[in-house]
Amino acid sequence: MSTSPVVNSAEASAQLSAEQQQQIAQVQASVPAGSEVIPSPSASLYVGELDPSVTEAMLFEMFNMIGPVASIRVCRDAVTRRSLGYAYVNFHNIADGERALESLNYTLIKSKPCRIMWSQRDPSLRKTGNGNVFIKNLDVAIDNKALHDTFSAFGNILSCKIAIDENGNSKGYGFVHYETEEAADNAIKHVNGMLLNDKKVFVGRHIAKKERQAKIEMYRAKFTNIYVKNVDEKVEDKELSEMFGKYGTITSAVVQRDEEGKSKGFGFVNFEKHEDAQKAVDALNETEQAEGKILYVARAQKKTEREEELRKQYEQAKLEKLAKYQGVNLYVKNLDDDMDDEKLRQEFSVYGVITSAKVMCDDKAHSKGFGFVCFSSPDEATKAVTEMNGRMIGTKPIYVALAQRKEVRRSQLEAQMAQRNQMRMQQGMPMPGAPGYMPNAPMFYGPPGSFMPQGQRPVFPPNGMMPRPRWAPQQGQPMPGFPPQGFAPNNVRPPRQPRAPRGGAAGQRKYANQSRQNNAAAAEPAAESTEAAPLTAAALAAAPAEAQKQMLGERLYPLINAQQPEYAGKITGMLLEMDNGELLNLLEDSKALDAKINEAMDVLKAHMTEGKEEA
């Protein structure tokens, strides 16, 4: 990830408009010759809590009102190029930075209050924690600005932040980082235990997470409160106390009850000493009671601690499951509607031991056309993929590959798009969103050996697909895959037209009539050839390997063009990277084709947006 406050980068400049870049250049040009143009590190501001859609241009319009801006950079992920939610704004002098900090801090940008502080480029100074104060039990109505206004009376604040959840709501605690230790001590002395919005707050020194975890583990190891589950409904508090009292002195024993006074089946017992509590847990946990119930006795936990523990267990189980089925679970698509689990198992059983075979069905028990087959070893799964992918089962060629999670597939598709765009940039070709790119000029696919007019060049993608000439069919031009007028198919030279006879106007009229008749006769078979017959798996298999993608592209393009005429060429190119069996299925299944078109449009829009920002 890009996390360093690098300034004056080409990428950041590309996010600014030409007028904004010109304003920055004019300010830099006004500096006397021989003097430093690079702003002082102390004139650099950190701007956090930004919406992901905030760009350099938006920040420039906001901060340039304060004073001349030297540079702006929104930090982005190195791979996805998505905003990380913070930026750096560099002024030419410290006075402008101070005014921006005073007047623009907590200003709403895209309905979110931004948090501005001086940029601290030395990470060691940020991580020491000197002057950092922790505040908890805050009212949810207190925001960053209210917290800053409350604590600014005790000293100069470097940073102030309220912790929020994924929905933007306050978690009830926050942090205030002072410039000096004295200011932090003064704030703790005067505010700790005071009422803020009728709630008593705790203010103390911020303790690093590692230190907190070490102390928490130490306290947990010396517990005195224990949790008891599977308690019989007839057991009262006194009986619970007597049951545990023989292990040591008890300070309290309570059976939890509902509003009607009925036992909930669990309770808590608190001992005076940790050793006595530990003896009770060791002696009574998983023991059978007179009522036949197995008692559960363990250290009492807070709700947040239990949730965190369960979350860790779930994540661990998820990772173990993924590791267990890595390389052995296969995804099978383009199945016949009558395919069930048993038939699927029989088709793949010749390649090894199958631990499970499942055809996915909808709510009405109708097949969705895909399923999963899990083998006992990766070698068997690899053999099955090699042998079964593209094989005809029933009336369709199936698609077989290693099963992947949805987010993995999406990231791979985004990586392919990024690689393709990078190749275009290296070759000097226009990208979506860049100057010179025309979205309504789709790419078409000519047949192998077809004639390409002079001045038109094909696009050669990095994955070895067929050439894709980038030109739109003009009026009178044939659709892709059909020979242009005046050229016979299969590279056969057209017959030479007869010379015009000498003999004045009469001879010329005779020649013109003859020429029109010849053109009309030649147009008839061309018109007949445009009526493409339905493409079957057998016809596709009989065609040469290099012509199969061309045949599929000719069928797919009209269907895609009907829905997305502006991007039909690009979407066709993206879909042609799929397996031939999948493409045949898309030609037959309009719903599956619609889903793929929508998925391709999502990826295209995302990259077009990034391309416009980078332009």
Side-chain angles (χ1 to χ4, degrees), residues 368-388:
K368 292 183 177 180
F370 70 92
F372 299 91
V373 179
C374 188
F375 284 88
S376 59
S377 71
D379 293 338
E380 296 171 349
T382 303
K383 185 178 179 182
V385 171
T386 306
E387 298 290 336
M388 293 295 289

Side-chain angles (χ1 to χ4, degrees), residues 216-461:
I216 289 172
E217 293 299 328
M218 183 179 66
Y219 289 141
R220 288 175 181 174
K222 295 183 178 181
F223 66 91
T224 57
N225 195 21
I226 60 176
Y227 169 69
V228 187
K229 191 170 69 171
N230 290 338
V231 178
D232 189 80
E233 296 179 358
K234 299 177 182 179
V235 174
E236 301 290 338
D237 295 352
K238 185 178 180 181
E239 297 176 30
L240 186 66
S241 179
E242 292 174 354
M243 183 188 305
F244 286 85
K246 53 187 175 182
Y247 299 102
T249 305
I250 294 175
T251 59
S252 66
V254 179
V255 175
Q256 296 296 308
R257 302 181 182 278
D258 58 19
E259 297 176 354
E260 298 177 358
K262 294 181 180 180
S263 171
K264 292 183 177 181
F266 68 91
F268 298 91
V269 179
N270 193 27
F271 285 86
E272 194 174 274
K273 298 180 180 179
H274 162 69
E275 293 77 10
D276 298 338
Q278 187 65 58
K279 284 192 296 183
V281 171
D282 296 339
L284 295 178
N285 188 35
E286 295 185 353
T287 58
E288 186 174 352
Q289 302 302 302
E291 299 80 8
K293 292 185 176 182
I294 304 297
L295 208 62
Y296 174 81
V297 184
R299 176 180 64 85
Q301 295 175 301
K302 291 184 178 180
K303 184 179 179 180
T304 54
E305 185 184 345
R306 291 198 308 273
E307 290 177 347
E308 182 65 26
E309 191 173 306
L310 290 173
R311 190 180 298 111
K312 288 181 179 178
Q313 292 176 0
Y314 172 76
E315 291 295 334
Q316 183 65 26
K318 189 176 181 181
L319 292 174
E320 290 176 357
K321 185 178 180 181
L322 290 174
K324 180 181 178 181
Y325 296 112
Q326 186 69 30
V328 297
N329 196 23
L330 302 184
Y331 171 66
V332 187
K333 193 165 67 169
N334 205 26
L335 298 173
D336 277 344
D337 294 338
D338 59 350
M339 180 69 68
D340 56 17
D341 297 352
E342 188 58 33
K343 290 182 181 179
L344 187 64
R345 179 184 289 268
Q346 289 177 2
E347 293 290 346
F348 283 84
S349 60
V350 295
Y351 301 104
V353 180
I354 296 176
T355 58
S356 68
K358 178 71 174 176
V359 175
M360 305 307 293
C361 299
D362 57 18
D363 298 337
K364 299 180 180 179
H366 297 156
S367 171
K368 292 183 177 180
F370 70 92
F372 299 91
V373 179
C374 188
F375 284 88
S376 59
S377 71
D379 293 338
E380 296 171 349
T382 303
K383 185 178 179 182
V385 171
T386 306
E387 298 290 336
M388 293 295 289
N389 187 32
R391 176 173 292 187
M392 294 288 296
I393 294 183
T395 60
K396 298 179 181 179
I398 64 170
Y399 169 80
V400 185
L402 288 174
Q404 292 178 311
R405 296 168 66 185
K406 185 177 181 179
E407 53 268 25
V408 175
R409 294 197 306 273
R410 183 171 182 83
S411 64
Q412 287 181 350
L413 187 58
E414 289 179 348
Q416 290 176 3
M417 287 294 297
Q419 183 182 10
R420 189 179 298 116
N421 289 339
Q422 186 177 7
M423 291 292 294
R424 289 197 185 100
M425 290 177 66
Q426 292 173 355
Q427 296 172 5
M429 297 181 182
M431 289 174 52
Y437 174 75
M438 293 181 292
N440 56 353
M443 291 187 295
F444 293 89
Y445 308 90
S450 64
F451 174 77
M452 183 178 294
Q454 186 178 3
Q456 296 171 351
R457 59 176 180 176
V459 178
F460 297 96

Side-chain angles (χ1 to χ4, degrees), residues 538-598:
L540 185 65
E546 63 272 9
Q548 290 180 2
K549 289 290 185 183
Q550 179 64 35
M551 296 169 65
L552 291 165
E554 292 168 0
R555 265 68 174 187
L556 278 172
Y557 177 82
L559 301 176
I560 298 172
N561 187 62
Q563 297 189 38
Q564 297 290 342
E566 292 187 2
Y567 307 103
K570 293 193 68 62
I571 296 175
T572 305
M574 294 170 66
L575 296 187
L576 283 179
E577 295 181 9
M578 299 167 56
D579 186 79
N580 290 354
E582 287 188 275
L583 295 174
L584 279 175
N585 182 47
L586 294 181
L587 292 173
E588 298 174 1
D589 190 347
S590 58
K591 292 184 179 179
L593 179 60
D594 294 344
K596 285 294 180 184
I597 293 174
N598 293 335

Side-chain angles (χ1 to χ4, degrees), residues 481-499:
F482 299 99
Q485 292 183 7
F487 289 89
N490 299 326
N491 296 329
V492 177
R493 181 179 295 178
R496 183 177 298 174
Q497 297 288 352
R499 291 184 179 180

Side-chain angles (χ1 to χ4, degrees), residues 489-521:
N490 299 326
N491 296 329
V492 177
R493 181 179 295 178
R496 183 177 298 174
Q497 297 288 352
R499 291 184 179 180
R502 300 176 183 177
Q508 291 178 4
R509 284 194 298 271
K510 180 180 180 182
Y511 169 73
N513 293 333
Q514 183 180 0
S515 178
R516 282 195 295 270
Q517 292 174 1
N518 291 339
N519 289 338

Side-chain angles (χ1 to χ4, degrees), residues 165-207:
D165 57 19
E166 59 274 6
N167 298 321
N169 300 320
S170 171
K171 290 185 176 181
Y173 64 90
F175 305 91
V176 176
H177 194 180
Y178 284 100
E179 188 175 14
T180 64
E181 288 284 335
E182 293 76 11
D185 293 335
N186 198 20
I188 295 172
K189 179 181 177 181
H190 289 87
V191 186
N192 186 31
M194 300 295 289
L195 294 177
L196 292 180
N197 283 16
D198 298 327
K199 293 187 71 174
K200 187 177 180 180
V201 297
F202 167 83
V203 183
R205 286 284 181 182
H206 172 257
I207 302 174

